[in-house]
Amino acid sequence: MLYFIGLGLSSVKDITVRGLELVKSCDRVYLETYTSILGVQNESLEEFTGKKIILADRTLVEQDSDQILEDANEKNIAFLVVGDPFGATTHTDLWIRAKEKKIPVKIIHNASIINAVGCTGLQLYRFGEIISMVFFTETWKPDSFYDKLKANRAAGLHTLCLLDLKVKEQSVENLLRNRVIFEPPRFMKISECIEQLLFVEAARKENVYDEETLCVGVARLQSDSEQIIFASLGELKTIDFGSPLHSLLITGVLNENELEMLKYFATEATLRKIEALRKDRIKNFLH
Protein backbone atom coordinates (compact mmCIF):
# COMPACT_ATOMS: atom_id res chain seq x y z
CA MET A 1 0.00 0.00 0.00
CA LEU A 2 1.11 3.56 -0.74
CA TYR A 3 -0.20 5.99 1.87
CA PHE A 4 -0.47 9.72 1.20
CA ILE A 5 -0.48 11.21 4.70
CA GLY A 6 -1.04 14.87 5.57
CA LEU A 7 1.07 16.27 8.41
CA GLY A 8 -0.91 19.43 9.11
CA LEU A 9 0.65 22.86 9.31
CA SER A 10 3.03 23.27 12.20
CA SER A 11 3.94 20.65 14.78
CA VAL A 12 4.83 16.97 14.49
CA LYS A 13 1.78 16.46 16.73
CA ASP A 14 -0.54 17.86 14.06
CA ILE A 15 -0.60 14.50 12.26
CA THR A 16 -3.86 12.62 12.86
CA VAL A 17 -3.94 9.60 15.16
CA ARG A 18 -4.78 7.41 12.16
CA GLY A 19 -1.94 8.92 10.15
CA LEU A 20 0.57 8.34 12.95
CA GLU A 21 -0.51 4.72 13.39
CA LEU A 22 -0.05 4.10 9.66
CA VAL A 23 3.38 5.77 9.59
CA LYS A 24 4.52 3.50 12.41
CA SER A 25 3.36 0.47 10.37
CA CYS A 26 5.24 1.46 7.20
CA ASP A 27 8.45 -0.05 5.88
CA ARG A 28 9.64 3.19 4.26
CA VAL A 29 8.63 6.77 5.04
CA TYR A 30 9.21 9.68 2.64
CA LEU A 31 8.80 13.37 3.47
CA GLU A 32 8.07 15.67 0.53
CA THR A 33 10.34 18.68 1.05
CA TYR A 34 9.96 21.04 -1.91
CA THR A 35 6.45 22.51 -1.69
CA SER A 36 6.30 23.44 1.99
CA ILE A 37 8.04 23.16 5.35
CA LEU A 38 6.75 21.83 8.65
CA GLY A 39 8.65 24.23 10.87
CA VAL A 40 10.48 21.59 12.91
CA GLN A 41 13.68 19.67 12.35
CA ASN A 42 13.43 16.36 10.50
CA GLU A 43 15.03 14.70 13.52
CA SER A 44 12.01 15.73 15.61
CA LEU A 45 9.70 14.00 13.13
CA GLU A 46 11.85 10.86 13.25
CA GLU A 47 11.82 10.84 17.03
CA PHE A 48 8.06 11.37 17.19
CA THR A 49 7.18 8.70 14.62
CA GLY A 50 9.96 6.27 15.48
CA LYS A 51 10.79 6.00 11.79
CA LYS A 52 13.74 6.90 9.58
CA ILE A 53 12.58 9.74 7.32
CA ILE A 54 13.72 9.78 3.68
CA LEU A 55 13.70 13.30 2.26
CA ALA A 56 11.91 13.48 -1.09
CA ASP A 57 12.92 16.49 -3.18
CA ARG A 58 11.35 17.53 -6.48
CA THR A 59 13.69 15.33 -8.53
CA LEU A 60 12.86 12.22 -6.54
CA VAL A 61 9.10 12.79 -6.62
CA GLU A 62 8.73 13.99 -10.20
CA GLN A 63 11.51 12.16 -12.05
CA ASP A 64 12.59 9.22 -9.91
CA SER A 65 9.26 8.23 -8.39
CA ASP A 66 9.94 4.55 -9.15
CA GLN A 67 12.23 4.62 -6.10
CA ILE A 68 9.26 5.58 -3.94
CA LEU A 69 6.98 3.00 -5.53
CA GLU A 70 9.51 0.17 -5.43
CA ASP A 71 8.09 -2.91 -3.65
CA ALA A 72 4.91 -0.97 -2.76
CA ASN A 73 2.85 -4.03 -3.73
CA GLU A 74 4.58 -6.03 -0.99
CA LYS A 75 5.46 -3.29 1.52
CA ASN A 76 3.75 -0.31 3.13
CA ILE A 77 5.13 3.03 1.94
CA ALA A 78 4.26 6.42 3.50
CA PHE A 79 4.49 9.65 1.52
CA LEU A 80 4.22 12.53 4.00
CA VAL A 81 3.09 15.97 2.87
CA VAL A 82 2.99 19.15 4.96
CA GLY A 83 -0.64 20.29 5.13
CA ASP A 84 -2.93 18.04 3.12
CA PRO A 85 -1.66 15.69 0.36
CA PHE A 86 -4.12 17.17 -2.10
CA GLY A 87 -4.47 20.67 -0.67
CA ALA A 88 -2.38 23.61 -1.83
CA THR A 89 -0.16 21.32 -3.90
CA THR A 90 -1.57 18.17 -5.45
CA HIS A 91 0.46 15.03 -5.96
CA THR A 92 -1.82 13.48 -8.55
CA ASP A 93 1.09 12.39 -10.76
CA LEU A 94 2.47 10.07 -8.06
CA TRP A 95 -1.05 8.80 -7.35
CA ILE A 96 -1.60 8.02 -11.05
CA ARG A 97 1.78 6.25 -11.37
CA ALA A 98 0.91 4.08 -8.39
CA LYS A 99 -2.46 3.20 -9.90
CA GLU A 100 -0.82 2.35 -13.23
CA LYS A 101 1.42 -0.11 -11.37
CA LYS A 102 -1.66 -1.62 -9.65
CA ILE A 103 -0.40 -0.41 -6.27
CA PRO A 104 -3.19 0.12 -3.70
CA VAL A 105 -3.37 3.74 -2.53
CA LYS A 106 -4.96 5.34 0.54
CA ILE A 107 -5.13 9.04 1.45
CA ILE A 108 -5.12 10.39 5.02
CA HIS A 109 -6.19 14.03 4.95
CA ASN A 110 -5.21 16.86 7.30
CA ALA A 111 -5.51 20.63 7.69
CA SER A 112 -3.99 22.79 4.96
CA ILE A 113 -3.52 26.51 4.44
CA ILE A 114 -6.64 26.46 2.24
CA ASN A 115 -9.00 25.74 5.13
CA ALA A 116 -6.85 27.03 8.00
CA VAL A 117 -7.27 30.63 6.81
CA GLY A 118 -10.82 30.45 8.10
CA CYS A 119 -9.33 31.38 11.49
CA THR A 120 -9.01 34.96 10.23
CA GLY A 121 -12.77 35.37 10.08
CA LEU A 122 -12.97 35.34 6.29
CA GLN A 123 -15.60 32.76 5.37
CA LEU A 124 -14.24 29.96 3.21
CA TYR A 125 -17.22 29.72 0.87
CA ARG A 126 -16.68 33.37 -0.06
CA PHE A 127 -13.23 32.78 -1.58
CA GLY A 128 -12.55 32.79 -5.30
CA GLU A 129 -9.73 31.18 -7.26
CA ILE A 130 -6.42 30.80 -5.41
CA ILE A 131 -3.42 32.55 -6.92
CA SER A 132 0.30 31.81 -6.60
CA MET A 133 2.92 34.53 -6.32
CA VAL A 134 6.33 33.50 -7.67
CA PHE A 135 9.60 35.33 -7.17
CA PHE A 136 10.22 37.91 -9.89
CA THR A 137 13.58 38.00 -11.62
CA GLU A 138 15.19 40.75 -13.66
CA THR A 139 13.89 39.18 -16.87
CA TRP A 140 10.73 37.38 -15.70
CA LYS A 141 7.84 39.17 -14.04
CA PRO A 142 4.72 37.09 -14.74
CA ASP A 143 1.33 38.73 -14.23
CA SER A 144 -1.00 35.80 -14.99
CA PHE A 145 -2.36 36.04 -11.43
CA TYR A 146 -3.74 39.52 -12.14
CA ASP A 147 -6.71 38.41 -14.27
CA LYS A 148 -7.73 35.82 -11.69
CA LEU A 149 -7.53 38.40 -8.91
CA LYS A 150 -9.49 40.84 -11.05
CA ALA A 151 -12.28 38.27 -11.56
CA ASN A 152 -12.39 37.45 -7.86
CA ARG A 153 -12.68 41.08 -6.82
CA ALA A 154 -15.28 41.82 -9.49
CA ALA A 155 -17.38 39.04 -7.94
CA GLY A 156 -16.79 40.36 -4.41
CA LEU A 157 -14.79 37.25 -3.47
CA HIS A 158 -11.72 36.96 -1.27
CA THR A 159 -8.41 35.75 -2.71
CA LEU A 160 -5.82 33.50 -1.09
CA CYS A 161 -2.30 34.26 -2.32
CA LEU A 162 0.17 31.41 -1.88
CA LEU A 163 3.71 32.72 -1.66
CA ASP A 164 6.68 31.20 -3.43
CA LEU A 165 9.36 29.13 -1.76
CA LYS A 166 12.51 27.74 -3.27
CA VAL A 167 14.21 24.79 -1.61
CA LYS A 168 17.12 22.89 -3.18
CA GLU A 169 17.01 25.02 -6.33
CA GLN A 170 19.88 25.53 -8.77
CA SER A 171 20.83 28.81 -10.41
CA VAL A 172 20.56 29.09 -14.19
CA GLU A 173 24.35 29.28 -14.42
CA ASN A 174 24.84 26.09 -12.42
CA LEU A 175 22.18 24.31 -14.46
CA LEU A 176 23.87 25.32 -17.72
CA ARG A 177 27.26 24.21 -16.40
CA ASN A 178 25.77 20.97 -15.04
CA ARG A 179 27.05 21.78 -11.56
CA VAL A 180 25.09 20.20 -8.70
CA ILE A 181 25.22 23.29 -6.50
CA PHE A 182 22.04 24.44 -4.77
CA GLU A 183 21.02 27.96 -3.84
CA PRO A 184 20.17 28.81 -0.20
CA PRO A 185 16.47 28.27 0.62
CA ARG A 186 14.23 31.28 -0.07
CA PHE A 187 10.76 31.95 1.28
CA MET A 188 8.71 34.86 -0.04
CA LYS A 189 7.70 37.40 2.57
CA ILE A 190 4.38 39.22 2.63
CA SER A 191 6.21 42.50 1.98
CA GLU A 192 7.84 41.03 -1.15
CA CYS A 193 4.49 39.71 -2.36
CA ILE A 194 2.90 43.15 -1.93
CA GLU A 195 5.73 44.88 -3.78
CA GLN A 196 5.16 42.55 -6.73
CA LEU A 197 1.38 43.03 -6.58
CA LEU A 198 1.76 46.81 -6.68
CA PHE A 199 4.35 46.56 -9.47
CA VAL A 200 1.90 44.66 -11.68
CA GLU A 201 -0.98 47.01 -10.83
CA ALA A 202 1.19 49.98 -11.83
CA ALA A 203 1.98 48.23 -15.12
CA ARG A 204 -1.57 47.07 -15.92
CA LYS A 205 -3.41 50.13 -14.54
CA GLU A 206 -6.80 48.39 -14.35
CA ASN A 207 -7.53 49.51 -10.77
CA VAL A 208 -8.01 46.02 -9.40
CA TYR A 209 -6.40 46.99 -6.07
CA ASP A 210 -4.19 49.66 -4.56
CA GLU A 211 -2.32 50.43 -1.34
CA GLU A 212 -5.63 51.10 0.47
CA THR A 213 -7.06 47.64 -0.31
CA LEU A 214 -7.78 45.79 2.93
CA CYS A 215 -5.94 42.49 3.29
CA VAL A 216 -4.98 39.94 5.92
CA GLY A 217 -1.38 38.85 6.36
CA VAL A 218 -0.85 35.48 8.03
CA ALA A 219 2.32 33.72 9.09
CA ARG A 220 3.03 30.29 10.63
CA LEU A 221 -0.63 29.41 11.11
CA GLN A 222 -1.37 26.96 13.92
CA SER A 223 2.07 27.43 15.49
CA ASP A 224 2.67 29.10 18.84
CA SER A 225 4.12 32.11 16.99
CA GLU A 226 1.36 32.54 14.42
CA GLN A 227 0.61 36.07 13.27
CA ILE A 228 -2.63 37.43 11.79
CA ILE A 229 -2.83 41.13 10.90
CA PHE A 230 -5.72 42.89 9.15
CA ALA A 231 -4.61 46.09 7.42
CA SER A 232 -4.21 47.84 4.08
CA LEU A 233 -1.72 46.60 1.52
CA GLY A 234 0.36 49.69 2.13
CA GLU A 235 0.50 49.13 5.87
CA LEU A 236 1.12 45.39 5.64
CA LYS A 237 4.08 46.08 3.37
CA THR A 238 5.85 47.75 6.32
CA ILE A 239 5.24 44.97 8.86
CA ASP A 240 7.80 42.27 9.62
CA PHE A 241 5.96 38.95 9.90
CA GLY A 242 9.09 37.06 10.89
CA SER A 243 10.07 33.59 9.80
CA PRO A 244 8.20 31.57 7.13
CA LEU A 245 5.70 30.51 5.99
CA HIS A 246 3.66 33.59 4.95
CA SER A 247 0.38 33.95 3.04
CA LEU A 248 -1.70 36.94 2.00
CA LEU A 249 -5.49 37.19 1.84
CA ILE A 250 -6.93 39.96 -0.34
CA THR A 251 -10.45 40.74 0.81
CA GLY A 252 -13.47 41.05 -1.41
CA VAL A 253 -16.80 42.36 -0.09
CA LEU A 254 -16.77 41.93 3.69
CA ASN A 255 -19.95 41.03 5.54
CA GLU A 256 -20.75 42.03 9.12
CA ASN A 257 -19.72 38.70 10.65
CA GLU A 258 -16.36 38.81 8.92
CA LEU A 259 -15.74 42.39 10.03
CA GLU A 260 -16.68 41.56 13.60
CA MET A 261 -13.98 38.87 13.80
CA LEU A 262 -11.43 40.69 11.68
CA LYS A 263 -11.43 43.69 14.01
CA TYR A 264 -9.57 41.58 16.59
CA PHE A 265 -6.67 41.33 14.13
CA ALA A 266 -6.90 44.90 12.86
CA THR A 267 -4.36 47.69 13.21
CA GLU A 268 -5.52 51.02 14.65
CA ALA A 269 -5.68 52.55 11.18
CA THR A 270 -7.80 49.66 9.95
CA LEU A 271 -10.20 49.89 12.90
CA ARG A 272 -10.90 53.49 11.88
CA LYS A 273 -11.59 52.34 8.31
CA ILE A 274 -14.00 49.67 9.57
CA GLU A 275 -15.98 52.24 11.54
CA ALA A 276 -16.09 54.55 8.51
CA LEU A 277 -17.28 51.62 6.37
CA ARG A 278 -20.06 50.82 8.80
CA LYS A 279 -21.19 54.46 8.95
CA ASP A 280 -21.33 54.57 5.14
CA ARG A 281 -23.49 51.45 5.09
CA ILE A 282 -25.89 52.87 7.68
CA LYS A 283 -26.04 56.17 5.80
CA ASN A 284 -26.74 54.43 2.48
CA PHE A 285 -29.42 52.25 4.12
CA LEU A 286 -31.22 55.28 5.61
CA HIS A 287 -31.24 56.99 2.23
Side-chain angles (χ1 to χ4, degrees):
M1 179 79 75
L2 172 65
Y3 294 102
F4 288 81
I5 300 175
L7 290 177
L9 291 172
S10 176
S11 166
V12 293
K13 295 181 179 180
D14 287 345
I15 190 172
T16 64
V17 173
R18 185 183 182 196
L20 179 60
E21 290 175 347
L22 289 172
V23 169
K24 289 178 177 291
S25 74
C26 284
D27 299 285
R28 294 199 307 278
V29 180
Y30 294 89
L31 172 63
E32 188 263 89
T33 60
Y34 64 93
T35 62
S36 190
I37 56 171
L38 187 58
V40 297
Q41 297 295 320
N42 296 328
E43 291 77 11
S44 298
L45 187 59
E46 290 184 329
E47 182 179 353
F48 184 72
T49 61
K51 287 290 182 177
K52 172 68 176 177
I53 303 296
I54 305 169
L55 302 182
D57 60 15
R58 186 186 298 274
T59 301
L60 178 59
V61 177
E62 296 183 353
Q63 299 177 30
D64 301 323
S65 61
D66 285 346
Q67 294 182 34
I68 299 174
L69 301 177
E70 184 180 2
D71 299 330
N73 276 312
E74 292 83 31
K75 297 181 178 180
N76 288 327
I77 312 299
F79 183 71
L80 309 183
V81 181
V82 176
D84 184 87
F86 293 87
T89 302
T90 62
H91 290 286
T92 52
D93 185 63
L94 184 62
W95 187 93
I96 291 170
R97 292 187 191 195
K99 286 293 187 179
E100 289 173 345
K101 292 177 177 289
K102 310 300 182 185
I103 296 169
V105 179
K106 190 172 289 294
I107 301 164
I108 310 300
H109 294 285
N110 208 322
S112 78
I113 188 64
I114 294 175
N115 64 317
V117 294
C119 70
T120 64
L122 296 178
Q123 295 166 354
L124 296 179
Y125 67 89
R126 304 188 68 242
F127 275 77
E129 186 172 357
I130 297 169
I131 66 173
S132 296
M133 297 297 296
V134 300
F135 282 111
F136 283 0
T137 68
E138 290 185 5
T139 58
W140 188 58
K141 296 178 172 59
D143 65 355
S144 55
F145 69 85
Y146 189 83
D147 292 320
K148 298 175 184 178
L149 182 48
K150 180 179 180 180
N152 285 350
R153 288 184 59 78
L157 300 175
H158 312 311
T159 304
L160 168 59
C161 306
L162 299 177
L163 278 52
D164 200 3
L165 69 160
K166 293 187 179 297
V167 179
K168 205 175 179 182
E169 298 273 346
Q170 291 177 271
S171 68
V172 174
E173 180 183 355
N174 285 330
L175 280 170
L176 292 175
R177 295 177 179 271
N178 200 29
R179 296 185 300 202
V180 186
I181 300 173
F182 300 106
E183 299 292 295
R186 295 177 63 199
F187 304 93
M188 184 180 286
K189 301 176 182 178
I190 288 171
S191 57
E192 293 173 305
C193 171
I194 293 173
E195 287 175 2
Q196 294 188 181
L197 284 167
L198 295 174
F199 175 89
V200 172
E201 176 60 57
R204 294 282 294 262
K205 296 183 174 67
E206 297 178 36
N207 298 318
V208 173
Y209 51 84
D210 57 30
E211 291 208 3
E212 296 303 312
T213 300
L214 291 175
C215 299
V216 187
V218 300
R220 301 172 303 283
L221 283 189
Q222 203 168 304
S223 74
D224 292 337
S225 65
E226 77 172 13
Q227 273 192 286
I228 303 172
I229 301 178
F230 179 42
S232 68
L233 271 179
E235 189 173 4
L236 286 175
K237 187 173 65 171
T238 68
I239 296 173
D240 181 6
F241 279 81
S243 58
L245 293 169
H246 297 186
S247 297
L248 181 68
L249 314 175
I250 301 174
T251 65
V253 176
L254 294 165
N255 64 33
E256 193 61 32
N257 284 336
E258 290 172 320
L259 282 172
E260 188 62 25
M261 188 162 170
L262 280 167
K263 74 179 185 182
Y264 290 98
F265 306 114
T267 62
E268 290 298 324
T270 306
L271 284 173
R272 292 193 293 270
K273 289 183 180 180
I274 291 174
E275 289 308 310
L277 183 63
R278 283 177 166 153
K279 288 178 181 178
D280 284 342
R281 286 179 178 173
I282 293 171
K283 180 179 178 182
N284 290 335
F285 176 76
L286 292 175
H287 286 78

